[in-house]
Amino acid sequence: MAKHRTKIKKKQSKSPFWEAVIHYSTSKRVHFVLGLLICFFTIYCGVALISFFFTGEADQSIVKDGILHNGLAGEIKNWAGIRGAYLADVFVDKWFGIPSFFLIFFFGSLGFRLMRLCRMHLFKRLLICLALTVWSSVFLAFVFSYLGDISFFHAGGLHGAFLFDLLSANIGNIGVILLLLVGLILIAVFLSVRTVPLLQTKLHFDNLRKKPADDDAEDENIATVDEKDEKEEEDNEEDEYEDKEIGDVQPEDDDVIPEKEPDEEVPFDIVAKDKDEKYDLSELGVYDPRLDLSSYKFPNVSLLKKYDTPDNQVDEVEQKYNKNRIIKTLADFGIGIVHIQATPGPTLTLYEVVPDKGVKVARIRSLEDDIALSLSAVSIRIIAPMPGKGTIGIEIPNKKPQTVSMESVISLRQFAETKYELPIILGRTIANDPFILDLAKMPHLLVAGATGQGKSVGLNVIITSLLYKKHPAELKFVLTDPKMVEFNTYEGIERHYLAKLPDMEKAIITDFENVKDTLKSLCKEMDNRYNLLTEAHVRNISEYNAKFINRHLNPEKGHKFMPYIVVIIDEFGDLIMTAGREIEMPIARIAQKARAVGIHMIIATQRPSTKIITGTIKANFPAKIAFKVSSRTDSQIILDSSGANKLIGRGDLLFSQGNDMTRVQCAFISTDEIEGIVKFIGSQPGFETAYKLPIVFDENSDGGGGGNSVDLSTRDPIFEDAARLIVLSQQGSTSLIQRKFSIGYNRAGRLMDQLEKAGIVGAMDGSKGRQVLIADEHALDLKLNN
């Protein structure tokens, strides 16, 4: 089988000049300075335009001459000087008139956006400002055609006057009015999702048949809603376009449905939204989770080493020799062969045999060692029968095995175009096809193999595959390395891809206590994510993120874009032998539940014993990778079948999921290649810190008080948060604290005793909740400060 190699053309290196230009054009400092200059220019233009209404008539004769020089400085009255007078005349008189202020508003928005003082959809704001400028220009020209123009300038500018004259001459004033009305409606529809429901309500055909009393009731209803909308809009006016990421406007009010007489059908499908579903800012466009690191560049294939390997086709002489030896060996034991076919791979060749009728499969399987001896092979593996083929497979190592480089598989079109959520290209199959997996569908992976058989390289291949496909905003790793040598290379991408507890110095976890705390934290993260999924009425992380990206979830209520979290634990056996159930139980809990919220685990061990790979672990890790192991028993523990003991090493592996088992030659990636990738990513701007996992306090700690003696000098770390929760909810409930902070009942009870001692809640009153003694948050702040 010929090996098709994808050729990657190396990009020509850019000159230092262009590299400097690209660097400075993407610099945050350059953006800030440019935005600041635009803001100053906007203020200058604004002053010039405002001054025009007071000084424009006096300056008009000078400006109209078109000859401006410093000698006229004393004659110009505009507050912004000669250039300001000219700018104001161009904007207000020659161009768009009074609506020119919409353009000034856009320039100011552009400056704020470059300075990162706010986030907004710039293109949408540009379209809105241009539309309002043009529409207002024509509208003012139409109005002042009846009122008479202002003495020294056109209210709609020469642009508005020209367009109005053109339209009026062609469609008449009635046509102009209708066109202006249509334009206004289109702008309103583009501006707010409330427009269409409101128009449907106002234009409802049933309104024509309503009784006066119903009309009055409905008008009062709509007036109340309109007043509420106006109040919300006034409260949020400053924030309307302030932050693209967190949403700019309060959730919409329920659509108003006009009342109808019995047995009448409503011609429009206007259905009141549920309170949890009413948030919708989709008119702002989709949210881009990559926005914070919008300049991030994925590592390119040139960072990987390209190995010179011979043509994939195995020597025909070797194939023919092996076929003949297989036929002869089987014939020596009285087994005839009808057909034999070879499928060459990078490190071994599969020979598929069709035996004579009546030959028992077990007879051929029992000849495994005899065939290996006949071929002088280190090890062979017999698959009897081949699933779905009706043949018997005999896998024989090649005399000259090839190296499957990471470069040769990562550059494949199949991997580049895959739609998997968490794609991993593990290597090549026995048929030389790329072997691509989706970790999101596994959803957890157990990796085992003897020392030196490729397990660590396999983990690096998994990490590299994900680094080449997922943006830092979309993926985080939790890396556990008790040996302190396997994953320390990845420290350079801490602010891009790693997650850790806030109080941990390093993101690569090597200490047992940190492993235990991190696993508890991941359980807390999982619970928090499930709460968000429940509030969003979705079933998994894909549906949740899609809803968030389309701006149907309110960030002010705690909703946020969820990155996938991949937890990789190397030397799992050392942790189990040290801690046992303290480690096993949180891992099992995460493996049982975390798939839906995007948390996936990969655990690896070089000691596949029943004390390490327990029944609980095997039951919750359906996908398994087995590198070469020393015994049939070890293979049985990992895969529930033999086979891993027959592998040839050097990255040769078996992947098992369900009833399917595939033999794969794992790709090879060196330490130098990993360091190059990490250096490339680490040199780019990252987040301020690593992804912070939630802190989980030890429920066995006293947290301050205890028993009847409560010492407020040693309050629980979450004392103030608990006090704020109680005051805002006005519920003196221990179970509320327990539920909201995910702590045990004893700790929640001690917190309630401290709150009572502080005078925030009253004493216990039987089964009733405690009385909350603080009325509002302001009073609580005064209490806490004292």
Side-chain angles (χ1 to χ4, degrees), residues 754-770:
Q754 294 175 10
L755 293 171
E756 178 186 350
K757 182 75 172 180
I760 295 172
V761 298
M764 288 185 63
D765 184 13
S767 60
K768 298 180 181 179
R770 296 174 185 250

Side-chain angles (χ1 to χ4, degrees), residues 70 79 138 167 192 308 324 364 404 433 435 503 739 768:
N70 294 336
W79 305 335
V138 177
L167 292 172
S192 174
D308 293 328
N324 292 333
I364 298 179
V404 179
D433 297 325
F435 190 65
D503 56 350
R739 185 171 67 254
K768 298 180 181 179

Side-chain angles (χ1 to χ4, degrees), residues 440-497:
K441 293 180 180 178
M442 291 186 196
H444 310 290
L445 179 63
L446 170 64
V447 182
T451 304
Q453 302 304 317
K455 174 175 58 66
S456 296
V457 172
L459 293 178
N460 287 325
V461 166
I462 291 171
I463 295 172
T464 302
S465 298
L466 295 172
L467 292 178
Y468 268 81
K469 290 296 288 185
K470 304 300 287 186
H471 189 273
E474 301 165 343
L475 173 68
K476 302 298 174 185
F477 290 101
V478 175
L479 300 180
T480 301
D481 181 17
K483 290 201 302 189
M484 298 182 283
V485 293
E486 296 295 344
F487 293 146
N488 58 359
T489 308
Y490 296 103
E491 287 182 349
I493 58 174
E494 175 178 331
R495 293 188 300 112
H496 300 79
Y497 281 102

Side-chain angles (χ1 to χ4, degrees), residues 331-396:
D332 290 343
F333 289 91
I335 300 174
I337 299 297
V338 176
H339 178 72
I340 184 169
Q341 176 182 345
T343 304
T347 57
L348 51 90
T349 300
L350 172 65
Y351 295 87
E352 293 184 64
V353 173
V354 180
D356 285 338
K357 289 184 179 180
V359 176
K360 292 184 178 180
V361 172
R363 286 189 62 194
I364 298 179
R365 191 185 294 119
S366 65
L367 298 176
E368 192 171 68
D369 294 336
D370 296 286
I371 297 174
L373 178 63
S374 174
L375 296 171
S376 302
V378 176
S379 175
I380 71 167
R381 176 171 169 259
I382 293 181
I383 309 167
M386 291 283 290
K389 287 192 174 183
T391 60
I392 294 173
I394 304 175
E395 296 172 343
I396 300 176

Side-chain angles (χ1 to χ4, degrees), residues 628-647:
K628 182 176 176 58
V629 294
S630 57
S631 69
R632 179 188 178 94
T633 303
D634 291 346
S635 178
Q636 197 77 32
I637 292 171
I638 304 166
L639 302 173
D640 292 325
S641 68
S642 62
N645 54 312
K646 296 293 185 179
L647 299 175

Side-chain angles (χ1 to χ4, degrees), residues 502-755:
D503 56 350
M504 281 175 52
E505 289 187 16
K506 295 185 177 181
I508 310 298
I509 308 166
T510 57
D511 181 71
F512 160 70
E513 289 298 327
N514 286 340
V515 174
K516 188 169 63 173
D517 293 341
T518 301
L519 289 174
K520 290 180 180 179
S521 177
L522 286 168
C523 289
K524 173 66 174 173
E525 174 79 8
M526 176 181 70
D527 293 337
N528 291 344
R529 289 187 171 201
Y530 265 110
N531 290 335
L532 292 176
L533 260 63
T534 302
E535 293 173 7
H537 304 297
V538 294
R539 297 172 299 175
N540 54 55
I541 186 173
S542 298
E543 294 178 5
Y544 178 90
N545 281 341
K547 205 168 183 178
F548 185 85
I549 287 173
N550 288 302
R551 299 185 183 274
H552 293 148
L553 296 174
N554 189 352
E556 294 180 356
K557 293 185 177 180
H559 291 292
K560 58 186 177 181
F561 181 84
M562 290 184 190
Y564 284 93
I565 298 178
V566 177
V567 185
I568 303 180
I569 301 177
D570 195 15
E571 298 305 331
F572 173 69
D574 293 346
L575 298 178
I576 284 290
M577 297 302 291
T578 305
R581 291 184 65 83
E582 287 187 87
I583 293 293
E584 182 182 1
M585 295 317 294
I587 287 178
R589 184 166 180 260
I590 293 170
Q592 288 167 354
K593 293 182 60 180
R595 172 183 185 173
V597 294
I599 301 176
H600 304 274
M601 297 199 75
I602 301 173
I603 60 175
T605 181
Q606 62 183 9
R607 293 188 287 175
S609 68
T610 53
K611 291 183 179 179
I612 295 169
I613 304 178
T614 63
T616 303
I617 294 297
K618 286 181 68 173
N620 291 290
F621 284 77
K624 303 173 182 70
I625 289 177
F627 290 88
K628 182 176 176 58
V629 294
S630 57
S631 69
R632 179 188 178 94
T633 303
D634 291 346
S635 178
Q636 197 77 32
I637 292 171
I638 304 166
L639 302 173
D640 292 325
S641 68
S642 62
N645 54 312
K646 296 293 185 179
L647 299 175
I648 60 176
R650 296 176 58 86
D652 189 18
L653 65 88
L654 289 173
F655 174 79
S656 171
Q657 187 167 18
N659 296 323
D660 298 329
M661 191 176 297
T662 307
R663 191 167 184 177
V664 179
Q665 176 60 44
C666 183
F668 175 76
I669 183 169
S670 66
T671 303
D672 290 342
E673 291 173 272
I674 297 170
E675 290 175 350
I677 295 170
V678 169
K679 184 178 179 181
F680 177 84
I681 296 173
S683 65
Q684 302 182 59
F687 298 103
E688 292 184 3
T689 62
Y691 183 85
K692 292 182 180 179
L693 297 172
I695 296 176
V696 180
F697 296 102
D698 188 355
E699 295 181 10
N700 297 320
S701 65
D702 288 343
N708 295 324
S709 175
V710 179
D711 182 9
L712 290 181
S713 63
T714 55
R715 295 187 296 274
D716 190 287
I718 62 170
F719 173 82
E720 291 192 9
D721 293 333
R724 210 168 297 280
L725 171 67
I726 293 297
V727 171
L728 291 176
S729 65
Q730 288 294 299
Q731 298 179 38
S733 168
T734 303
S735 61
L736 176 65
I737 296 177
Q738 183 184 2
R739 185 171 67 254
K740 288 295 185 182
F741 295 103
S742 298
I743 61 177
Y745 184 81
N746 292 336
R747 185 180 175 195
R750 288 191 294 270
L751 265 166
M752 192 60 75
D753 290 339
Q754 294 175 10
L755 293 171

